[in-house]
Amino acid sequence: MANKLIGYVSLFIILILLQSVVFNQICLFNIAVPYVFIFFIFRLPININLNLLFLLSFLLGFSVDIFSDTLGMNALACTLIAAIRKPVYSLFTPKDDDNDIIIPSIKKMGYSTYILYAGSLSFIYCCLINVIQAFSFFDVIMLILRSVASSILTIIIIFAIESLISSGSEKRL
């Protein structure tokens, strides 16, 4: 239990620092920005207490907002992603026993299911953050292009991180 807590705290801090120092500086073709810090929300156990999930998601987004000077935009989008995470997970996976602690990962879910889960949440997050930043639907084509490109870039990097931190002891569904 203590090892998992230390792992989550270190993942939280590392992802905030990586997002603030490295990934916020990446903007491919002035369109795609990777939002890799949302991987922390993806990685939390599915049946975590909702109050704790919302608190952690808000703190994650707020921490990135502080370093990025984005005035609460990431905090709002992260909290909304936390609200829809479990229904999105249930869309793509078979019903499991509620007593199990389910931590979404490539090894437990398989590549195709995980890419649907993480890709959906990533796309929704990118749409939310781009709409919040633009605060209008004036240029819908550019909004969709930025959301799709940012989502694809985010998923590629999240897949790389997931493959690095997944342990060999996890079972696939």
Side-chain angles (χ1 to χ4, degrees):
M1 182 68 178
N3 287 341
K4 286 185 179 186
L5 181 64
I6 291 170
Y8 281 118
V9 169
S10 59
L11 183 64
F12 185 90
I13 293 169
I14 289 169
L15 286 174
I16 289 171
L17 290 175
L18 281 174
Q19 184 68 40
S20 302
V21 175
V22 178
F23 295 119
N24 278 348
Q25 310 307 319
I26 298 172
C27 186
L28 295 179
F29 308 112
N30 203 18
I31 293 176
V33 177
Y35 299 105
V36 177
F37 70 98
I38 60 175
F39 173 67
F40 180 79
I41 299 170
F42 298 174
R43 188 71 178 181
L44 289 171
I46 288 299
N47 40 358
I48 189 172
N49 182 344
L50 283 178
N51 293 331
L52 181 60
L53 174 65
F54 288 144
L55 177 67
L56 289 173
S57 299
F58 176 80
L59 289 175
L60 179 72
F62 187 67
S63 300
V64 172
D65 283 332
I66 289 172
F67 290 114
S68 304
D69 196 26
T70 50
L71 303 172
M73 290 185 260
N74 289 304
L76 173 63
C78 283
T79 307
L80 291 173
I81 287 299
I84 64 167
R85 184 179 76 103
K86 191 170 184 176
V88 168
Y89 178 82
S90 352
L91 275 175
F92 300 117
T93 58
K95 184 162 173 64
D96 289 319
D97 191 18
D98 289 339
N99 296 331
D100 277 351
I101 296 176
I102 303 164
I103 300 172
S105 68
I106 291 174
K107 291 197 178 208
K108 283 193 175 192
M109 297 173 70
Y111 286 103
S112 60
T113 307
Y114 187 79
I115 203 164
L116 288 172
Y117 164 73
S120 299
L121 286 176
S122 174
F123 179 70
I124 293 168
Y125 178 84
C126 291
C127 286
L128 286 170
I129 200 71
N130 285 320
V131 167
I132 294 168
Q133 285 175 348
F135 203 65
S136 77
F137 293 106
F138 182 69
D139 194 2
V140 177
I141 303 293
M142 186 55 85
L143 193 66
I144 293 171
L145 181 64
R146 283 187 177 156
S147 298
V148 169
S150 294
S151 179
I152 290 171
L153 186 59
T154 300
I155 286 299
I156 290 170
I157 297 172
I158 284 176
F159 248 82
I161 293 171
E162 175 71 35
S163 65
L164 288 175
I165 67 170
S166 288
S167 65
S169 63
E170 293 179 344
K171 285 186 174 180
R172 188 173 173 212
L173 288 176

